[in-house]
Amino acid sequence: MELKEKLLSSFMAFEEKIDFHQELHDVRSQAIKNFENKGFPTKKEEAWKYTSLNTILKNDFSVFPKKENSIEFAEVKKYFLHEIDTYKVVFIDGIFSSFLSSTSHDGLDVCLMSSALNKPKYKMYIDEYFNKIASKEESLTSLNTAFASEGAYIHIPKSKVVEKPIEIVYFSTGSEAALMVQPRNLVIVGENAHVQIIERHQSLNDNPVLTNSVTEIFAQKRAIVDYYKVQNDVQTANLIDNTYISQKQESNVSVHTFSFGGNITRNNLNFYHQGERIDSTLKGVTIIGDKQHVDHYTLVQHATPNCESHQNYKTILDGSSTGVFNGKIFVEKEAQKTDAFQKNNNILLSDKATINAKPQLEIFADDVKCSHGCTIGQLDENAMFYMQQRGIPKKEAKALLMYAFTSEVTGSIKIPELRSKIARIIADKLGVKMGFDL
């Protein structure tokens, strides 16, 4: 049975085993109809012209884990930011792990989506926020909405500054021959509140995994949200990450995406402005090789005056890997005084590596400052020669240049321990020992 048919036939059984109210039933029913009509995206669609899911969909994925699995903390400690104390929300094969989680919180509302979707105390927030900015047209987002059951629900109250980062970690144990999981996260950050969140998806063996994740983030007036995505999975893991962000007046949201591993990774990142003097930051570093594929698809919709957005994506490709950057800035007629900047720089270390870059500006206002730039090239041979003449071996000289290339992004990480961890991952990807931090 093909995966699409398996999902459609499983939907009724899924709804029968969960608690839900009528409004959610209607949302799910409409979402599964949309997926049924559209199916999985193909390269015939403009937004997916450089990314094919055909090889992934040949796997016979289980759509629900057959049993709950446990993991010892010692086995997975290296995947956490253990240098400092953090709140932890951990899932194993899509199921919450109370053993690995640490959600004791001081005035925060951190719980499970399953609780938020079904408990009356959360109904007001679910009605107001759930599935309100997630695309109703994108088929994989609709598929996630139809099966939305588990994930992280985070509500930061007004004026609360969260003192510790929140880690959301999804582990796949490989107990199934192939598994599809669909986590759903909802993050609501109140007026003048501040939070730092780190998200990671990690397979623990080489059995194929397909993760179709959706996250909705709502930043209220003057809220500050720093969101970090660490993608350093095994080469049989596939990730479709859909993130939708709504910003109110004077809010500041930054998303850093670090893509180092996995088979096929697709990041859909969408920002929507709903007030003046908003600041949006989108940054990313991709370092891949072999036959890995990473596709960044970004959208910033400027709908109000006096707002800023800054995009900066760095890509290093080796082997037969493929990178995609498809970034779009949309400036509506009312969005005067917009300042929007987009930059995408790419280094190809192999003749077989490929990059597809498509920066886009659609501007309907006449008093704006918008720009985009894209470069594709190799390492600077003159700089390599200069360093080698001063006694730096070729391998280390090459690594230093690539460190410098990525530092414009990594240097803006606001959690020092995470910045050091990313530096170590980059050093490992480059095959050198790290004698310094970024």
Side-chain angles (χ1 to χ4, degrees):
M1 183 186 299
E2 292 187 357
L3 182 57
K4 179 182 177 181
E5 281 66 39
K6 179 184 287 190
L7 289 163
L8 293 174
S9 62
S10 302
F11 177 70
M12 188 173 295
F14 166 77
E15 276 217 318
E16 287 178 355
K17 73 176 185 178
I18 63 171
D19 296 324
F20 62 88
H21 48 73
Q22 185 61 41
E23 292 89 342
L24 273 181
H25 169 72
D26 294 341
V27 168
R28 293 184 192 280
S29 297
Q30 185 57 47
I32 198 67
K33 286 178 183 177
N34 184 53
F35 174 72
E36 183 177 13
N37 292 334
K38 295 191 172 185
F40 287 97
T42 69
K43 295 182 75 172
K44 293 180 180 179
E45 299 177 36
E46 182 66 23
W48 288 82
K49 66 184 297 185
Y50 300 117
T51 299
S52 172
L53 301 180
N54 290 342
T55 56
I56 302 175
L57 301 180
K58 291 177 182 178
N59 291 290
D60 185 19
F61 289 107
S62 298
V63 295
F64 304 114
K66 295 182 177 63
K67 63 177 182 178
E68 292 190 26
N69 294 287
S70 60
I71 302 171
E72 293 298 322
F73 181 72
E75 300 176 55
V76 294
K77 179 180 177 181
K78 63 182 179 180
Y79 300 119
F80 293 98
L81 195 65
H82 54 80
E83 296 87 351
I84 59 173
D85 191 19
T86 62
Y87 301 112
K88 299 176 180 66
V89 188
V90 183
F91 301 86
I92 301 174
D93 293 334
I95 299 171
F96 177 67
S97 169
S98 58
F99 174 69
L100 293 179
S101 298
S102 175
T103 57
S104 55
H105 39 273
D106 307 316
L108 312 180
D109 198 348
V110 180
C111 72
L112 307 182
M113 277 300 295
S114 56
S115 297
L117 290 172
N118 295 307
K119 290 185 177 180
K121 66 179 276 192
Y122 295 106
K123 186 178 185 304
M124 178 178 68
Y125 298 108
I126 293 300
D127 290 346
E128 183 175 356
Y129 295 107
F130 178 75
N131 203 45
K132 291 301 184 288
I133 53 172
S135 172
K136 310 299 189 296
E137 303 301 323
E138 210 282 324
S139 63
L140 288 176
T141 296
S142 293
L143 176 61
N144 178 285
T145 299
F147 286 93
S149 174
E150 200 57 286
Y153 172 89
I154 299 172
H155 188 180
I156 311 301
K158 181 178 180 179
S159 301
K160 176 69 177 178
V161 177
V162 183
E163 296 182 358
K164 300 186 293 186
I166 300 173
E167 293 188 90
I168 307 172
V169 185
Y170 293 90
F171 290 113
S172 298
T173 62
S175 59
E176 307 279 347
L179 178 65
M180 181 178 185
V181 290
Q182 301 197 75
R184 182 67 171 241
N185 304 313
L186 178 59
V187 180
I188 306 164
V189 185
E191 290 185 24
N192 301 303
H194 183 189
V195 66
Q196 297 174 321
I197 299 174
I198 304 165
E199 178 187 330
R200 182 163 189 163
H201 301 264
Q202 188 66 49
S203 298
L204 301 179
N205 76 3
D206 291 330
N207 285 354
V209 173
L210 172 57
T211 300
N212 177 37
S213 176
V214 172
T215 300
E216 293 180 283
I217 301 172
F218 294 85
Q220 305 297 348
K221 293 179 181 179
R222 296 175 296 281
I224 301 175
V225 182
D226 297 317
Y227 207 101
Y228 302 95
K229 297 174 180 289
V230 182
Q231 301 167 346
N232 189 32
D233 217 334
V234 300
Q235 292 199 29
T236 51
N238 305 281
L239 172 64
I240 313 296
D241 186 277
N242 305 279
T243 301
Y244 301 91
I245 299 168
S246 170
Q247 290 186 248
K248 292 290 182 67
Q249 177 182 334
E250 298 180 39
S251 61
N252 187 319
V253 177
S254 66
V255 176
H256 288 67
T257 305
F258 300 101
S259 301
F260 303 125
N263 175 34
I264 291 178
T265 302
R266 165 76 176 219
N267 291 300
N268 297 321
L269 182 56
N270 306 272
F271 280 73
Y272 302 102
H273 289 185
Q274 298 181 12
E276 294 192 36
R277 295 179 294 282
I278 287 171
D279 198 321
S280 303
T281 300
L282 302 77
K283 293 189 176 185
V285 172
T286 299
I287 304 177
I288 54 174
D290 297 323
K291 296 182 179 180
Q292 293 176 294
H293 180 98
V294 172
D295 183 346
H296 294 288
Y297 189 95
T298 69
L299 166 68
V300 181
Q301 185 169 355
H302 287 269
T304 49
N306 302 301
C307 295
E308 298 184 16
S309 66
H310 306 273
Q311 300 186 52
N312 193 353
Y313 283 80
K314 306 281 190 176
T315 302
I316 299 173
L317 302 175
D318 204 352
S320 299
S321 61
T322 305
V324 181
F325 176 77
N326 194 333
K328 185 174 183 180
I329 297 171
F330 189 92
V331 183
E332 296 186 14
K333 185 177 180 180
E334 295 78 12
Q336 303 293 342
K337 304 294 184 181
T338 288
D339 185 353
F341 171 78
Q342 184 185 87
K343 183 164 70 171
N344 172 228
N345 301 121
N346 308 277
I347 291 178
L348 304 182
L349 301 178
S350 164
D351 292 339
K352 295 181 180 179
T354 303
I355 181 70
N356 298 287
K358 187 182 177 184
Q360 302 174 73
L361 297 176
E362 289 193 29
I363 304 170
F364 297 92
D366 53 17
D367 184 10
V368 301
K369 181 182 177 182
C370 296
S371 63
H372 64 71
C374 176
T375 63
I376 301 171
Q378 290 77 40
L379 288 176
D380 188 334
E381 292 295 335
N382 291 331
M384 288 279 292
F385 179 74
Y386 177 87
M387 287 190 285
Q388 288 178 265
Q389 283 218 317
R390 278 148 183 79
I392 301 175
K394 183 177 181 179
K395 185 176 182 180
E396 282 70 20
K398 184 177 178 181
L400 279 170
L401 285 178
M402 288 187 281
Y403 267 119
F405 177 71
T406 62
S407 63
E408 195 175 4
V409 173
T410 56
S412 64
I413 300 173
K414 296 180 182 178
I415 305 172
E417 295 78 10
L418 178 61
R419 187 164 60 245
S420 297
K421 190 178 189 73
I422 294 299
R424 291 193 294 271
I425 295 175
I426 291 176
D428 183 63
K429 290 291 291 183
L430 301 180
V432 296
K433 293 183 179 180
M434 189 188 71
F436 55 90
D437 283 346
L438 292 175

